[in-house]
Amino acid sequence: MSVSSQSIQEEQVVVFQLMEQVYGIDINAVYEIIRMETITKIPRTPGFVEGVINLRGRIIPVIDLGLRFGLGQGERTTASRIIIVEVSGQTIGMIVDAVQEVLRFPSGSIEPAPPVVNGVDSAYLRGIAVLEERLIILLDQNKILQEKEKEELLQANIG
């Protein structure tokens, strides 16, 4: 009896770089990836919120993922991108240093995340994909913003 490729569970993630580390986010949560553009600052928002962008008529809040994770603000380069994602029913943009690839791998290669990975609290993480000699830190997009922060974005009329 042969095992069909359909019976093997696979993950597909967008792989990106942030502060010299490699992360992945479920491709099903990603709407699109855009180049850096002018971000309009909004008063009285959390420190990691850069502001908002107008994406084809929609106002989208943009967060700096490095600041969100307490890693500091990365340098903006021509490789910097904004990943537009769905986070617990809200559309947000996440600034990352660079997007590398879309990657498929077996679900069985995901290990639980230790309490802290490279300074990032495991509350934001889904696990770590162990692929041959690569480790990819997998984000749980629904935990990037806490409930209080989601409310703050809504109260500021963004998000």
Side-chain angles (χ1 to χ4, degrees), residues 5-84:
S5 61
Q6 294 290 354
S7 66
I8 298 172
Q9 293 290 333
E10 277 193 332
E11 298 274 334
Q12 191 171 8
V13 298
V14 173
V15 178
F16 61 90
Q17 188 168 348
L18 183 66
M19 301 294 186
E20 316 244 337
Q21 297 300 319
V22 179
Y23 294 85
I25 190 163
D26 185 349
I27 196 165
N28 294 317
V30 177
Y31 283 130
E32 64 184 291
I33 300 165
I34 61 174
R35 295 184 187 278
M36 284 297 299
E37 59 180 68
T38 303
I39 299 172
T40 303
K41 300 278 186 198
I42 300 290
R44 291 180 276 139
T45 57
F48 59 86
V49 176
E50 285 287 307
V52 295
I53 59 171
N54 182 342
L55 186 64
R56 292 183 298 282
R58 277 181 79 190
I59 303 302
I60 309 285
V62 177
I63 68 170
D64 183 310
L65 211 50
L67 289 175
R68 175 68 190 111
F69 293 159
L71 302 173
Q73 186 173 30
E75 181 183 344
R76 304 286 192 264
T77 68
T78 56
S80 297
R81 296 289 182 266
I82 300 174
I83 301 176
I84 308 297

Side-chain angles (χ1 to χ4, degrees), residues 46 48 68 144-153:
F48 59 86
R68 175 68 190 111
I144 291 171
L145 296 176
Q146 297 170 353
E147 288 304 316
K148 181 180 177 221
E149 295 160 342
K150 290 176 200 169
E151 289 298 319
E152 289 174 349
L153 289 179

Side-chain angles (χ1 to χ4, degrees), residues 129-140:
V130 181
L131 311 171
E132 296 171 13
E133 303 213 3
R134 293 175 71 184
L135 295 178
I136 299 172
I137 303 165
L138 300 175
L139 297 182
D140 183 337

